[in-house]
Amino acid sequence: MPSLAESRPHYGGTLRLAVKEAPETLDPVAAGVPASLSRLVFETLVALDDRGRPQPLLATSWQSDPGSQRWRFFLRAGVSFHDGAPLDSATVAASLRNSNPEWKVIDAGDMVMIETESATPDLPVDLALTRNSIVRRSDSAVKLSGTGPFAIAQGDAGKHATLTANEQYWAGRPFLDSVQIDFAKNDHEQMLSLDLGKADVIEVAPENIHRARAENRIVITSEPEELIALVFAHDPRSEDEIHARAALAMSIDTAAVNNVVLQGGGEPTGALLPNWISGYAFVFNAAGSNAAGSPAAANPAAGTPAFGNMNHARQERMQSKHLPVWTLGYDPSDTIVRIIAERVLLNARDSGITLNLSSTANSDLHLVRIRLTSSDQHVALAELAKTLQLPPPRIGDGSTADLYSAEKVLLQSHRAIPLLHMRRAVALRPTVHELRMLPDGSWSLSNVWLSGEKQ
């Protein structure tokens, strides 16, 4: 029986992580850096709570001029970087200029002023994005220093990193002494490491969540947040192509993909944003996720075709006099994406549409996975549009109705076909306590502590 002390948080120990990504750096502006890991070292001026609302972090408060083009962010006093340098407005301004060259950032004593070319009412939420973390860079730009609860002690790019507790952390020293991260570990290697006691926390792929729970593992999941979508390389060039794209969307049985391929690890969708963040995705889903969709729902002009409805798909395909033959690109190293691509190809052929799979970058459309970068609905939609290379959404006054209209316009461009939102998950040993999975899929390790093995 564990002692009373083992049930209470205490300091000490090394948390061992195994992850699939293999980043060359933890620099938050670099592509492919896991947000969960970057946030251990680097912090932003603003943080978002579980409801996507901005909260103070390195900035204690902020204010904007009328028009929301000029903002002032007041810095927290008594904060130091890992190299001992104090947090000051000059370093903050330099960091934000590096990640946002289009902004005018001015350092002014205990605050920074940010000026944007157009109204930016969501600027505090933008500043919570990982890429806007405050980084102190050496002259060579090789050595990076942050203000977070852990500092980079050593690392082997893409293979291993060791982080040590920041003894002078402004919010209080973390419980853990250190975090060791093994990169480039596939699903099998991660699970084996967990079983052999070589890792305390591992990632669990969406398709393996059900099995991991059936094996009585401790599994924590996020909300459905990672979008799987088909993305066309260009706008439709004719009415025929609009009909063909709508027919393709209607032909794909996303419910079967979720149940068979993902083992229930996701949710079929007709929307870009998941319902938990927008509150209205079910409207797109109701029009686009089952074979009982009405003829009105199958109208390509509505932007919400009836997914998995082969009859509607064939009817829509017949509206196209000259059917294109498309190449469908995908990442061959991603097993799940490859299997889903093969399913899409078969569904398309059943409806009379010809697709050819390709692993090249010059395909007509691509099957992609896109993770949410924010739990704020406005910023999340804008970031998705940017990743999909769509025009910035025009959200108006920020109301739910305006957001819905903005997303509908993006879907009506016929550039993207949303298929599924997948959950992210981790499995952990029973000695790991207080690990949280945030709604956007990132982990929170700030209050994690370790206990001894239970007999």
Side-chain angles (χ1 to χ4, degrees):
M1 180 176 180
S3 66
L4 182 61
E6 287 181 324
S7 65
R8 294 178 179 173
H10 59 267
Y11 291 92
T14 296
L15 183 72
R16 300 160 301 171
L17 309 178
V19 299
K20 182 178 292 185
E21 291 91 344
E24 294 295 313
T25 175
L26 290 181
D27 190 336
V29 300
V33 178
S36 301
L37 304 182
S38 180
R39 289 173 183 170
L40 293 175
V41 179
F42 307 103
E43 296 180 303
T44 49
L45 294 182
V46 180
L48 300 186
D49 63 17
D50 287 351
R51 295 186 180 182
R53 298 173 300 193
Q55 303 294 327
L57 194 58
L58 292 181
T60 56
S61 61
W62 48 87
Q63 57 187 223
S64 69
D65 290 352
S68 299
Q69 285 184 258
R70 177 181 295 173
W71 288 79
R72 297 171 183 84
F73 291 84
F74 297 89
L75 303 182
R76 187 179 297 277
V79 178
S80 297
F81 288 95
H82 299 142
D83 63 4
L87 178 76
D88 58 24
S89 59
T91 307
V92 171
S95 182
L96 291 177
R97 291 188 201 110
N98 182 66
S99 55
N100 301 277
E102 72 278 11
W103 291 353
K104 182 178 181 181
V105 187
I106 304 167
D107 55 285
D110 63 348
M111 71 173 183
V112 290
M113 183 182 300
I114 301 175
E115 296 181 359
T116 57
E117 293 183 357
S118 59
T120 314
D122 290 320
L123 186 61
V125 181
D126 281 333
L127 288 175
L129 294 171
T130 306
R131 69 166 181 264
N132 288 323
S133 297
I134 305 305
V135 182
R136 176 176 159 81
R137 304 174 188 277
S138 65
D139 293 338
S140 64
V142 174
K143 186 173 179 57
L144 309 176
S145 187
T147 61
F150 294 90
I152 301 173
Q154 61 182 19
D156 187 354
K159 296 180 180 179
H160 181 82
T162 298
L163 313 179
T164 55
N166 179 3
E167 299 286 349
Q168 307 303 319
Y169 184 46
W170 63 269
R173 183 198 190 279
F175 289 111
L176 298 168
D177 287 338
S178 61
V179 178
Q180 293 183 355
I181 310 163
D182 285 328
F183 298 112
K185 298 298 182 182
N186 62 36
D187 296 337
H188 175 73
E189 290 172 329
Q190 289 188 50
M191 195 62 72
L192 188 62
S193 294
L194 187 71
D195 289 341
L196 294 178
K198 295 182 178 180
D200 301 304
V201 180
I202 65 169
E203 299 167 313
V204 179
E207 66 274 16
N208 294 329
I209 294 174
H210 176 75
R211 184 176 68 182
R213 283 178 167 160
E215 294 171 347
N216 294 318
R217 301 183 188 277
I218 302 173
V219 178
I220 302 174
T221 65
S222 71
E223 297 283 359
E225 56 84 34
E226 185 175 13
L227 175 67
I228 292 187
L230 291 170
V231 182
F232 286 88
H234 56 76
D235 293 331
R237 299 187 175 104
S238 65
E239 285 295 321
D240 278 354
E241 193 167 356
I242 290 176
H243 286 295
R245 293 186 184 192
L248 173 62
M250 295 175 201
S251 73
I252 302 169
D253 191 343
T254 52
V257 172
N258 183 54
N259 293 333
V260 178
V261 180
L262 297 182
Q263 294 293 298
E267 289 184 359
T269 188
L272 296 172
L273 293 179
N275 196 68
W276 66 267
I277 193 171
S278 73
Y280 59 68
F282 68 92
V283 177
F284 292 124
N285 298 347
S289 62
N290 57 65
S294 66
N299 181 356
T304 54
F307 291 87
N309 189 326
M310 195 58 68
N311 288 333
H312 282 161
R314 289 168 180 157
Q315 291 171 15
E316 192 65 39
R317 185 256 302 163
M318 292 175 66
Q319 299 297 313
S320 180
K321 298 177 183 179
H322 303 285
L323 278 176
V325 175
W326 289 316
T327 53
L328 170 57
Y330 67 98
D331 179 359
S333 67
D334 190 324
T335 303
I336 287 300
V337 165
R338 175 179 57 80
I339 295 173
I340 294 175
E342 291 169 352
R343 288 258 175 174
V344 169
L345 181 146
L346 293 175
N347 287 162
R349 287 182 178 175
D350 286 344
S351 70
I353 296 173
T354 301
L355 293 178
N356 295 315
L357 296 183
S358 170
S359 58
T360 67
N362 297 322
S363 301
D364 298 305
L365 66 161
H366 286 83
L367 185 64
V368 300
R369 297 171 66 156
I370 305 172
R371 290 178 175 172
L372 285 184
T373 57
S374 176
S375 54
D376 175 86
Q377 53 190 359
H378 306 137
V379 172
L381 185 62
E383 291 292 306
L384 276 175
K386 184 186 299 182
T387 303
L388 294 169
Q389 298 184 333
L390 298 175
R394 306 184 70 171
I395 300 176
D397 64 7
S399 67
T400 300
D402 278 352
L403 188 74
Y404 168 80
S405 297
E407 181 169 347
K408 187 174 181 179
V409 168
L410 294 178
L411 292 171
Q412 287 175 334
S413 71
H414 305 285
R415 285 286 303 277
I417 301 174
L419 302 179
L420 299 137
H421 283 115
M422 298 194 303
R423 294 177 176 84
R424 299 186 68 189
V426 295
L428 51 146
R429 292 170 60 80
T431 53
V432 179
H433 305 273
E434 300 301 328
L435 185 150
R436 294 179 59 227
M437 178 73 82
L438 302 181
D440 65 1
S442 59
W443 319 342
S444 175
L445 304 179
S446 56
N447 293 316
V448 167
W449 59 279
L450 301 175
S451 63
E453 291 283 357
K454 296 182 180 179
Q455 304 297 322

